Amino acid sequence: MLVPDPKVVRTLLTRYASLKIAQAERERAETARELEDVSYTLCVMMGTTSIHDAIARADALLLRTSGTSAGTAQTDGEGDLSLAV
């Protein structure tokens, strides 16, 4: 099985979270399209059909690889929920 590049996954999670915030602040068609694209890409990269499953797998991947890279996955401290959800 191919493993996605953690840097790319981290970038997609960051973009997903930013778009979710932007969409919550002000609904725009352009932002909704970008959010749909990023969601689809995350699902494909992580081998899922649900964005929530994709985020969970992405978080797990980042946790597994955090010891081998400079970055770490961030959680909110409450049950280790992803910041991207």
Side-chain angles (χ1 to χ4, degrees):
M1 181 170 138
L2 295 175
V3 178
D5 182 350
K7 291 178 186 177
V8 174
V9 171
R10 187 175 298 109
T11 299
L12 284 169
L13 284 174
T14 301
R15 186 70 184 137
Y16 176 83
S18 297
L19 289 166
K20 287 289 279 188
I21 291 167
Q23 189 69 353
E25 289 175 347
R26 180 176 175 205
E27 290 192 28
R28 295 179 47 209
E30 180 181 338
T31 305
R33 278 191 302 274
E34 285 185 62
L35 184 58
E36 187 68 30
D37 288 346
V38 170
S39 298
Y40 175 80
T41 303
L42 270 170
C43 286
V44 170
M45 286 188 82
M46 303 314 300
T48 68
T49 57
S50 159
I51 187 60
H52 294 292
D53 291 343
I55 290 168
R57 286 189 184 182
D59 285 344
L61 171 68
L62 295 178
L63 285 173
R64 281 194 311 274
T65 60
S66 66
T68 60
S69 66
T72 59
Q74 296 181 1
T75 60
D76 67 1
E78 294 185 20
D80 292 328
L81 295 175
S82 168
L83 290 176
V85 174

